Amino acid sequence: MELIYKISKVLIEAGKIILAADNINDNITQKHGTANFVTTYDLTVQNFLYHRISDLVPGAHFIGEESTENRMELINDGINFIIDPIDGTTNFVHGYRHSAISIALLRDGIITAGLVYNPYLDEMFYAKRGEGAFLNKKSIHVSDRQLHDGLVSFGTTPYKREYTEASFQIIKKLFTSSRDIRRSGSAALDLCYVACARCDLFFEVELSPWDYAAGSIILEESGGVISSFKQTRLPFDASSSVIAANPNAYRDFYDII
Ligand code: IPD
Ligand code: CA
Ligand code: CA
């Protein structure tokens, strides 16, 4: 059985932990930054994934959002998994039902596969390098919409309020140049929504590798473009700005901003 299929089965099981969660508000701890929370469920899902995926790929190295022992210097060596156990923790805490589990597989520093699973809708987005991107086994592609006919989503970099002005200046310009804007609360799903043409462009002033690693290969394999604002490749051992879009909307973004 193919590894990506086995991992997708693990994600579906992990999704059940999210769906069964109760008393979430009694299980919250504050992290660094503004309104940045971790719940016991983030930790439970991460531990579950570490445990189950180590069984599938012995010797693999893990980088997880909730881990205090991330060894970023090993990112270019052998097999690494970059994991966000719950992308959209604020949504999760508020019962907003729009969160996902995100996992990317890297071989010697290159992402070779990514999966993003939304347990609320039972939607599994995945991609393998060179083999296209899929949503629940159906091939997905970005739209070809220009920005003026498109839907734009963005992230507010909520834990670093010093970026508020920068984010909202950009979104104001994009709002007046597009059909409308959205802010979903899960960057991993935002990237997948561009990949499957539900949305046409996404940006956020700063994200971490676990927010965009899996989504980035899903987006690229669906025909989209993803980069930092400076149009450089996204790093997987440091945080970065992110712009992701279909190729037409990506060009329009740089004409407008
Ligand atoms: C956050 C979400 C959110 C984005 C933040 C991320 P988390 O991840 O992806 O949409 O705006 O910048 O940190 O904390 O819910 O895993
Ligand atoms: Ca995240
Ligand atoms: Ca998270």
Side-chain angles (χ1 to χ4, degrees):
M1 213 192 295
E2 230 199 321
L3 179 60
I4 194 161
Y5 178 74
K6 290 181 186 167
I7 294 175
S8 74
K9 293 286 169 208
V10 173
L11 292 196
I12 291 168
E13 277 187 66
K16 289 184 182 151
I17 301 173
I18 294 176
L19 294 178
D22 57 6
N23 295 324
I24 299 170
N25 282 288
D26 297 336
N27 290 288
I28 299 178
T29 320
Q30 168 87 41
K31 295 200 287 187
H32 54 278
T34 309
N36 188 7
F37 304 114
V38 59
T39 71
T40 51
Y41 295 102
D42 296 73
L43 301 167
T44 306
V45 172
Q46 181 169 285
N47 289 339
F48 177 83
L49 295 173
Y50 276 25
H51 181 69
R52 293 293 299 276
I53 291 168
S54 311
D55 286 348
L56 293 177
V57 189
H61 174 245
F62 291 86
I63 292 165
E65 173 169 18
E66 310 307 344
S67 174
T68 49
E69 289 157 13
N70 287 325
R71 296 196 53 201
M72 294 302 199
E73 73 280 8
L74 295 180
I75 196 92
N76 294 318
D77 278 341
I79 297 186
N80 276 272
F81 286 96
I82 302 184
I83 292 178
D84 193 336
I86 303 181
D87 184 57
T89 294
T90 306
N91 283 349
F92 176 64
V93 166
H94 285 259
Y96 199 84
R97 299 177 69 81
H98 184 82
S99 307
I101 303 167
S102 173
I103 175 161
L105 166 60
L106 287 84
R107 288 180 197 269
D108 297 330
I110 310 285
I111 298 212
T112 58
L115 300 96
V116 174
Y117 180 57
N118 176 352
Y120 299 106
L121 297 178
D122 191 23
E123 288 192 328
M124 181 77 68
F125 297 88
Y126 57 98
K128 211 170 143 190
R129 186 156 306 282
E131 296 188 14
F134 299 85
L135 163 54
N136 290 354
K137 297 187 182 152
K138 277 197 183 149
S139 179
I140 52 171
H141 303 277
V142 291
S143 73
D144 59 2
R145 285 186 207 105
Q146 298 286 145
L147 205 51
H148 59 79
D149 293 325
L151 198 54
V152 170
S153 62
F154 78 120
T156 51
T157 314
Y159 313 135
K160 294 194 174 175
R161 298 290 163 118
E162 61 271 31
Y163 292 130
T164 303
E165 200 53 39
S167 299
F168 283 82
Q169 267 180 20
I170 299 171
I171 200 62
K172 190 174 173 187
K173 283 191 184 160
L174 294 180
F175 175 57
T176 51
S177 312
S178 67
R179 281 197 181 156
D180 204 351
I181 55 169
R182 298 286 182 269
R183 193 295 189 253
S184 86
S186 163
L189 286 174
D190 290 335
L191 294 172
C192 293
Y193 276 35
V194 177
C196 72
R198 289 177 186 165
C199 189
D200 305 288
L201 181 138
F202 164 77
F203 79 90
E204 187 152 352
V205 172
E206 191 181 287
L207 283 171
S208 298
W210 37 81
D211 301 314
Y212 56 72
S216 71
I217 183 167
I218 294 167
L219 197 269
E220 284 178 340
E221 286 293 324
S222 69
V225 188
I226 185 163
S227 70
S228 72
F229 284 3
K230 290 184 175 164
Q231 298 190 277
T232 54
R233 287 178 70 82
L234 296 180
F236 295 110
D237 56 356
S239 55
S240 174
S241 57
V242 174
I243 161 87
N246 77 51
N248 292 334
Y250 184 87
R251 266 191 304 275
D252 293 342
F253 176 85
Y254 284 97
D255 288 344
I256 290 164
I257 301 299

